[in-house]
Amino acid sequence: MTINTDNLLESILASLDRVDYIRAEEIPDIDLYMDQVTSLMEERLKPSARHEDTDKILTRTMINNYTKNDLLPPPVKKKYSREHILLLVFIYYFKGVLSMGDIQKLLQPLTEKYFHNEESTRSLEEIYETVFSMENSRAQEVKEDVKAAYERAGSLFTDTEDEEEAGMLRNFAFICILSFDVYMKKLMIEKIIDGLSEQRQPKKKDKKQGDTNG
């Protein structure tokens, strides 16, 4: 994702247009070996990478770590199903914001209820498509938020006579506004995950009245 600092806002908005996700129908119906999985993820998600030439979207080590930390169910005979890949896409987006522990807490209920579960009333693929169907409308909302933040930052430091200095300070303010937004949303996500984790923990049985020790 390349940003032109000479035309910052327009370049950011254009970069957001290039952000995409892997649609379920683009995932092969056959199970894939690890190298095929990493190639698929690289091909489809590379445009959203910070440094397209050097950044790795997914590696063998990453996949093994996700399995080791219970973010991803283990492969069957070294092959990964469509549902594995759906989970890997979720992990890809979550890992930029959340710890591996929080991602595990968030995905565990989904894997337990929907992963390779033919008796479930809905599929993991249906959940995936429903969530990502909001992509276009949400992307437009994000663009409007970015525009507002940019305009707000541009109204600051008007008393700075040096234009280069003023530009540097406004860019810093712009980044601070965006960062604060991310920080606040991250706090909310963590609180929600903590609440969900507490709900899943078995409640301790209250001792009956009259029970005595010994």
Side-chain angles (χ1 to χ4, degrees):
M1 182 183 291
T2 302
I3 300 294
N4 179 4
T5 54
D6 294 331
N7 201 357
L8 185 60
L9 180 60
E10 287 77 6
S11 184
I12 290 173
L13 298 179
S15 293
L16 290 176
D17 286 335
R18 294 195 295 271
V19 174
D20 202 358
Y21 73 98
I22 302 176
R23 288 158 180 79
E25 63 266 21
E26 297 172 332
I27 301 172
D29 288 328
I30 59 173
D31 294 347
L32 303 177
Y33 287 107
M34 186 180 287
D35 288 344
Q36 294 172 308
V37 173
T38 57
S39 295
L40 174 67
M41 296 283 283
E42 286 284 330
E43 178 185 346
R44 294 296 291 112
L45 298 177
K46 199 68 169 180
S48 64
R50 182 178 183 181
H51 304 111
E52 291 188 42
D53 294 335
T54 56
D55 287 356
K56 290 291 184 181
I57 300 298
L58 187 67
T59 65
R60 297 173 65 91
T61 300
M62 290 178 189
I63 294 177
N64 287 330
N65 283 338
Y66 298 155
T67 303
K68 180 180 178 181
N69 288 279
D70 295 326
L71 277 69
L72 187 73
V76 177
K77 297 181 179 179
K78 297 184 179 182
K79 285 189 174 183
Y80 296 84
S81 67
R82 290 166 59 89
E83 293 185 335
H84 277 108
I85 297 173
L86 298 179
L87 289 173
L88 283 169
V89 177
F90 279 127
I91 294 170
Y92 172 75
Y93 288 111
F94 289 144
K95 71 177 184 178
V97 181
L98 301 174
S99 67
M100 292 186 75
D102 279 341
I103 298 173
Q104 191 271 337
K105 293 175 186 176
L106 188 58
L107 292 181
Q108 185 178 24
L110 269 70
T111 55
E112 289 179 354
K113 189 171 182 65
Y114 305 111
F115 187 84
H116 290 177
N117 185 359
E118 296 180 356
E119 297 180 358
S120 175
T121 56
R122 66 179 72 237
S123 67
L124 189 59
E125 180 175 328
E126 179 187 349
I127 295 169
Y128 177 91
E129 286 293 351
T130 300
V131 170
F132 279 102
S133 67
M134 300 183 293
E135 177 197 24
N136 289 334
S137 61
R138 184 59 191 139
Q140 292 303 316
E141 293 170 2
V142 171
K143 285 183 180 180
E144 294 303 318
D145 289 344
V146 170
K147 289 179 184 178
Y150 186 80
E151 291 171 3
R152 174 61 179 153
S155 69
L156 304 176
F157 304 108
T158 55
D159 58 344
T160 305
E161 295 182 1
D162 186 297
E163 276 302 314
E164 184 175 348
E165 179 184 357
M168 180 270 291
L169 292 172
R170 287 167 187 158
N171 284 340
F172 178 74
F174 182 40
I175 291 171
C176 287
I177 294 170
L178 296 177
S179 297
F180 184 70
D181 187 49
V182 173
Y183 171 72
M184 293 296 290
K185 289 178 179 178
K186 183 174 183 290
L187 287 180
M188 288 187 284
I189 292 170
E190 290 172 344
K191 291 294 183 183
I192 294 170
I193 291 174
D194 290 343
L196 294 174
S197 299
E198 291 175 3
Q199 291 176 8
R200 285 176 57 80
Q201 290 177 356
K203 295 181 180 179
K204 294 181 180 180
K205 293 182 179 180
D206 295 331
K207 287 186 176 182
K208 295 180 180 180
Q209 287 186 339
D211 282 355
T212 57
N213 295 327

